[in-house]
Amino acid sequence: MISVAVLLSGVAVLLAAAVAAIALKHSPSVTRVIYGATLIVSLAIAATALHHLVSAAAAPSLIALPLGLPWVGAHFRLDALSSFFLFVVGSGSAASSLYGLGHGLHEKAPRRVLPFFPAFLAGMMLVILADDAFTFLLSWEFMSLASWALVMAHHHDRDNARAGYVYLVMASFGTLALILAFGLLAGAGGGYDFASIRAAEHTPHLDALVLALVLLGAGSKAGLVPLHVWLPLAHPAAPSHVSALMSGVMTKVAVYGFVRLIFDLLGEPTWWAGMIVLILGGITSVLGVLYALMQHDLKRLLAYHTVENIGIIFIGLGLALAFQANGMNWAAALALTAALFHVFNHALFKSLLFFGAGAVLAATGERDMERLGGLIHRMPYTSIAFLVGCVAISALPPLNGFVSEWLTFQAILQSPELPQWGLKIMVPAVGAMLALSAALAAACFVKAFGITFLGRARSSAAETAEEVDRFSLAAMFAFAGLCLLAGILPGFVIDGLAPVTQSLVTGRMPVQTEIPWFSIVPIAESRSSYNGLLVFVFIAISATLAVLAIHRFASHAVRRAPAWDCGWPDPSPETQYTAASFAQPIRRVYATYAFRAKETVEMPAPGDRRPAQLVVRLQDLVWDYLYEPIAGVVGLAAGRLNELQFLTIRRYLGLVFLALVSLLTVIALWT
Amino acid sequence: MDGLIFDIAHLLAGGLVLVSFMMLYQDRLYALLNVYALHALVLALSVAWQAFAQDAPHLYVTALIALVFKAIIIPVALHRMIARLGIHREIETVVGIGPTMLAGMGLVALSMVVMLRVTAAADPMAREDLAFALAVVLLGLLMMVTRRNAVSQVVGFMSLENGLVLAATGARGMPLVVEISVAFSILIALIVIGIMLFRIRERFDTVDVHALDRFRGERR
């Protein structure tokens, strides 16, 4: 009661801040005031949620307000699951506000951002707190619309306008699917609060339908392939700290929606539900990273990586469903912990990377990697923080990304104990896909970091870039530090997640914090264990020793020799390795089929002094073979239905009449 | 006694459906208005009988409203309107009488099937009443669809409303306030429609809605 009241008043302050942003729009300090307020409120909310998760053993805290629909009211509830997600959202929002304190000053149209930013935060938090279908859907739509307004902040850009349009269509579609899912869950009795949905009995057919609808609704918001198309358009279009929120946090709210509906409200899962989620997750992770590798726009690359990471999270969730359906609660807890741990990790490093991309954008005005380079000299702090994010997202020890992916693999290794042959075969295949996507992600971030920060500047903007302000750096380093902490002390996170798994799959992983030396042991010591601290200390000591050894024992004599020509044949930075050339081998291997990549060399005729050109054409099959036909059918239907606007009065009456009679006929035949 | 009460209620409600059928084949406007007055009269009787049967005195007020407004004022007003518009000699047939009657029978059968199945648990008197009321509503709609003259469309609408009143009185517990407000809204609708009719007539020299369609340049 008290915690949820505190959280709701925090949300109310955020909404008030949104109104204040409109009222204070002429004040010169409005940016500082708004971001300062959201920073404080977000920190308070994250702290309250964390306190509730850790202390109260996550006994649910309820409140019902006389708002919303009459006789229904608005129910709010804080349990283990929602306090975990609220902590993720709160910390992401806090860092984003901190970053906004500095980055927001570069904003050309602050009036288009400031009122919607607190509203967006409030929307996400309300979704997590909601305890009845009406409040949930209302907050969900509020969140979507607020983020849409933020995507449209720079609406003069044609690409942004298109991104906003696609986003709006997909968001409405997703909400529609969720409305239908809730309608099915509530049934004819119409108990729309979560407590009565949870108590109701559901038939297997209904289960399948609800799963499909939730995958459409929450999946479209999270970015599951093939519903991901809006994501790489919309996320980069927003201002960078909002991109970080959308990519790092809002997709997590979608994951929350999925977990709440499928694990909590729907009740006992079936094994094929896990199989479907697992396969979708596998496909999403591989395709997401392949898309990302083809991108040269830094923010769009990051957005595609969100798709990949959502895939990894859904692999974990699918495994948890499959294990739970077979009564293997300890394994389900392991898989669910892995998925939720990855939720937390991805919120950290994706926000961090978007902050870095935003810093690069603010310093150079460029998002295209082919026009960057050499920024490590101009922006040393940003590049260190970005490097930490890259290492974390590439799942390299000792950072946090490794831990959650390792836990996911541990869950995959339990698959031989599953009774169904379909799962026994499919889970290792998905494991292979996960391994592939992890490797490709590493390649992708070598490209992202290497092309952007190493080498020589490819444009004058990159050559004259300045380090960004302290607020931005503080936000980046805060998250970089958290990435490292979660990586070397993962036991605390795993134990923090225990109440969540306990309430959802009635199982938990072994207590980790009592194991000496901060090791983590997913199942039993004899099977596997990992110690992030040890890896970190080893890397630190061996690197220090290597540096010392080189400085101590290497020759100090200066030698002069001609540079290795292949490295620097030409002083022009154009001759450097580019993002496209880095991606070429992978493109040739995978994208020839996945995206129908075609390379053509346009060779000028002898005597013609034009330079030769290499043209690469990629085709997005999902867009061409799924969305284009749907758009065509919708357009055709709209064209036909348009004639309905010009009928005679009698025909309109006739339509009403026919509709009535046919509905009555349906009733007559049905009952 | 119960059997007799039920039978009379059944008879009156069935009579309303029968009068609806009579309206379907009236192709002269004055005759149509007379049948409509009869329709309203039967409705008033039926409501009054329901008041007696259910022992609900406020339904007598409803019956009185039906009698005064629907059986007297509205037919007289429409009568005058037709006289002033000078269309009392017009004959209109859009769909032939035979097919219309057949369609009407189909609708009655449909409403019986739907209502008797859906309300299986309800009191038998209310069931019959609801089934007949739905039939009257559907027949009123059918009339609106098959007629071309604006006045007969108005009459179709009024008879549809009679069906609603029948349904409302059959189901127990309809408050009087609702009933009165519905009656007044129908009266106001009549006034609005009357004004519209004269405006249409002023502009197009006819109340055949086909002329409106031609004016909008639509193909038919």
Side-chain angles (χ1 to χ4, degrees):
Chain A
M1 177 77 193
I2 294 171
S3 343
V4 76
V6 169
L7 293 170
L8 281 178
S9 42
V11 172
V13 173
L14 287 178
L15 289 174
V19 179
I22 301 171
L24 296 174
K25 64 183 178 189
H26 295 298
S27 157
S29 57
V30 57
T31 306
R32 298 253 145 142
V33 171
I34 296 299
Y35 287 125
T38 55
L39 170 63
I40 293 166
V41 174
S42 306
L43 276 179
I45 284 179
T48 315
L50 186 63
H51 175 257
H52 186 263
L53 182 65
V54 173
S55 71
S61 161
L62 293 152
I63 201 169
L65 296 182
L67 302 170
L69 284 185
W71 299 293
V72 176
H75 299 261
F76 298 98
R77 184 165 180 268
L78 185 71
D79 58 4
L81 178 66
S82 47
S83 47
F84 167 67
F85 273 95
L86 209 55
F87 172 65
V88 172
V89 172
S91 47
S93 310
S96 184
S97 308
L98 181 61
Y99 185 79
L101 276 175
H103 188 73
L105 298 178
H106 301 290
E107 183 58 53
K108 286 187 286 292
R111 284 183 213 172
R112 294 187 178 279
V113 175
L114 288 179
F116 300 113
F117 184 78
F120 178 39
L121 300 185
M124 291 193 289
M125 289 163 185
L126 280 177
V127 169
I128 293 174
L129 285 172
D131 194 34
D132 64 272
F134 181 74
T135 314
F136 184 92
L137 289 169
L138 194 72
S139 320
W140 184 276
E141 198 60 10
F142 185 74
M143 166 183 90
S144 297
L145 285 180
S147 57
W148 173 78
L150 289 166
V151 168
M152 293 297 277
H154 305 149
H155 63 114
H156 292 297
D157 192 336
R158 283 177 64 93
D159 286 348
N160 289 2
R162 175 162 175 270
Y165 175 70
V166 174
Y167 178 31
L168 198 61
V169 170
M170 291 300 286
S172 317
F173 169 75
T175 312
L176 175 70
L178 282 183
I179 289 175
L180 294 177
F182 275 117
L184 286 177
L185 279 173
Y192 279 96
D193 56 317
F194 285 177
S196 44
I197 293 179
R198 213 172 276 134
E201 290 287 323
H202 307 295
T203 60
H205 289 98
L206 191 82
D207 276 12
L209 212 54
V210 169
L211 178 72
L213 285 169
V214 173
L215 278 175
L216 284 178
S220 72
K221 181 65 81 191
L224 275 185
V225 171
L227 301 163
H228 65 284
V229 285
W230 64 274
L231 195 144
L233 299 175
H235 286 186
S240 294
H241 54 302
V242 180
S243 305
L245 270 182
M246 288 179 75
S247 228
V249 179
M250 189 174 74
T251 52
K252 304 304 165 305
V253 177
V255 172
Y256 165 80
F258 182 85
V259 174
R260 175 63 80 195
L261 273 157
I262 298 299
F263 281 83
D264 187 12
L265 299 185
L266 199 56
E268 273 301 299
T270 43
W271 68 269
W272 46 261
M275 178 110 151
I276 292 171
V277 176
L278 196 63
I279 293 173
L280 275 177
I283 293 173
T284 302
S285 67
V286 172
L287 272 184
V289 73
L290 279 179
Y291 275 118
L293 266 165
M294 302 301 129
Q295 301 303 319
H296 311 314
D297 177 324
L298 194 52
K299 284 178 81 174
R300 183 166 293 181
L301 179 146
L302 293 176
Y304 271 119
H305 258 283
T306 300
V307 176
E308 183 229 343
N309 281 284
I310 288 295
I312 297 174
I313 293 168
F314 272 86
I315 289 175
L317 295 178
L319 281 171
L321 282 175
F323 286 128
Q324 197 195 355
N326 289 303
M328 298 163 68
N329 285 353
W330 52 275
L334 170 60
L336 190 62
T337 307
L340 294 180
F341 202 156
H342 203 71
V343 162
F344 176 61
N345 290 342
H346 184 246
L348 291 181
F349 52 61
K350 187 49 62 72
S351 302
L352 166 59
L353 289 169
F354 263 113
F355 292 158
V360 170
L361 181 62
T364 64
E366 284 291 344
R367 273 163 45 176
D368 187 354
M369 286 193 288
E370 309 284 25
R371 298 179 55 77
L372 296 168
L375 288 177
I376 196 167
H377 305 295
R378 311 288 313 181
M379 307 169 72
Y381 297 111
T382 304
S383 55
I384 289 172
F386 197 86
L387 182 62
V388 172
C390 289
V391 175
I393 200 172
S394 310
L396 296 180
L399 287 160
N400 56 353
F402 175 78
V403 182
S404 49
E405 292 199 22
W406 182 75
L407 286 175
T408 312
F409 276 115
Q410 294 302 317
I412 286 173
L413 291 178
Q414 310 311 316
S415 66
E417 297 184 28
L418 285 166
Q420 290 91 3
W421 276 100
L423 281 171
K424 270 189 202 195
I425 296 167
M426 208 58 224
V427 173
V430 171
M433 287 163 110
L434 179 60
L436 175 65
S437 72
L440 289 177
C444 189
F445 277 94
V446 169
K447 164 181 143 179
F449 186 81
I451 304 294
T452 310
F453 289 95
L454 304 182
R456 283 171 296 155
R458 294 181 177 81
S459 65
S460 58
E463 216 166 338
T464 57
E466 293 287 330
E467 185 59 276
V468 287
D469 56 281
R470 285 164 188 224
F471 288 114
S472 306
L473 287 178
M476 285 189 261
F477 276 99
F479 266 16
L482 277 178
C483 279
L484 188 64
L485 266 185
I488 57 179
L489 304 171
F492 292 96
V493 185
I494 293 173
D495 280 0
L497 286 169
V500 185
T501 57
Q502 190 71 51
S503 69
L504 291 180
V505 296
T506 57
R508 57 161 296 163
M509 286 176 61
V511 179
Q512 305 291 329
T513 35
E514 290 170 2
I515 298 168
W517 300 108
F518 302 112
S519 282
I520 55 168
V521 178
I523 299 151
E525 186 107 48
S526 57
R527 294 173 90 163
S528 57
S529 67
Y530 166 71
N531 191 326
L533 187 63
L534 190 68
V535 174
F536 177 64
V537 169
F538 173 74
I539 289 177
I541 291 178
S542 58
T544 318
L545 283 181
V547 169
L548 284 180
I550 289 168
H551 279 265
R552 175 72 184 77
F553 298 114
S555 164
H556 289 273
V558 177
R559 287 176 297 163
R560 290 194 176 277
W564 177 50
D565 236 16
C566 265
W568 307 87
D570 187 332
S572 158
E574 301 290 317
T575 55
Q576 291 179 96
Y577 215 49
T578 63
S581 35
F582 189 91
Q584 192 203 33
I586 297 170
R587 189 177 68 225
R588 287 204 172 154
V589 174
Y590 295 101
T592 315
Y593 297 106
F595 306 125
R596 301 244 175 105
K598 279 206 182 70
E599 292 178 22
T600 41
V601 180
E602 288 176 9
M603 196 61 84
D608 191 346
R609 302 188 65 183
R610 270 187 309 126
Q613 270 190 321
L614 174 71
V615 182
V616 181
R617 283 197 189 80
L618 295 176
Q619 191 186 7
D620 188 342
L621 296 183
V622 173
W623 188 263
D624 287 355
Y625 289 104
L626 183 66
Y627 286 88
E628 291 287 344
I630 290 177
V633 169
V634 169
L636 204 68
R640 285 288 162 83
L641 291 177
N642 193 26
E643 292 177 10
L644 281 183
Q645 302 213 11
F646 306 102
L647 291 184
T648 64
I649 297 173
R650 266 190 42 239
R651 290 196 179 186
Y652 280 127
L653 279 174
L655 280 181
V656 172
F657 183 64
L658 281 181
L660 182 62
V661 169
S662 50
L663 285 177
L664 286 176
T665 317
V666 168
I667 295 177
L669 295 178
W670 198 281
T671 49
Chain B
M1 187 59 195
D2 267 5
L4 187 64
I5 289 178
F6 178 75
D7 285 345
I8 292 179
H10 204 150
L11 175 74
L12 287 170
L16 203 63
V17 178
L18 188 70
V19 180
S20 281
F21 268 103
M22 285 167 67
M23 283 166 74
L24 276 183
Y25 66 81
Q26 300 300 327
D27 50 7
R28 286 180 187 275
L29 288 175
Y30 280 161
L32 183 64
L33 281 183
N34 293 342
V35 178
Y36 173 70
L38 180 64
H39 198 258
L41 184 68
V42 175
L43 174 75
L45 283 177
S46 171
V47 173
W49 189 255
Q50 287 283 352
F52 170 69
Q54 295 178 18
D55 202 12
H58 68 266
L59 284 183
Y60 286 119
V61 183
T62 311
L64 193 69
I65 292 173
L67 189 69
V68 175
F69 282 127
K70 292 178 181 154
I72 300 171
I73 296 182
I74 291 178
V76 169
L78 281 175
H79 216 274
R80 286 195 178 175
M81 227 181 255
I82 289 168
R84 278 182 59 192
L85 290 167
I87 53 173
H88 53 282
R89 288 182 187 283
E90 274 187 23
I91 294 176
E92 45 155 11
T93 41
V94 171
V95 185
I97 287 173
T100 316
M101 297 303 271
L102 278 178
M105 278 181 228
L107 291 177
V108 173
L110 178 67
S111 54
M112 292 295 154
V113 171
V114 170
M115 272 301 169
L116 294 186
R117 276 198 202 166
V118 169
T119 59
D123 159 40
M125 198 152 121
R127 280 178 76 191
E128 295 290 341
D129 218 38
L130 284 176
F132 283 129
L134 183 63
V136 172
V137 168
L138 289 179
L139 288 175
L141 253 177
L142 179 66
M143 185 163 160
M144 289 179 79
V145 174
T146 52
R147 297 300 173 114
R148 186 190 286 172
N149 188 305
V151 176
S152 43
Q153 285 187 349
V154 170
V155 174
F157 174 66
M158 297 286 164
S159 74
L160 184 154
E161 202 272 338
N162 284 352
L164 292 181
V165 172
L166 183 68
T169 53
R172 283 155 198 260
M174 169 99 157
L176 185 63
V177 184
V178 177
E179 177 52 39
I180 290 178
S181 59
V182 168
F184 273 101
S185 61
I186 289 299
L187 201 66
I188 289 167
L190 179 80
I191 294 169
V192 173
I193 290 168
I195 294 170
M196 285 291 290
L197 277 180
F198 281 105
R199 298 297 304 245
I200 293 171
R201 151 88 177 197
E202 261 173 43
R203 197 167 281 270
F204 300 106
D205 284 334
T206 174
V207 286
D208 187 338
V209 289
H210 187 42
L212 292 179
D213 305 336
R214 275 202 302 273
F215 175 70
R216 294 201 316 177
E218 297 301 326
R219 65 190 189 284
R220 253 186 52 96

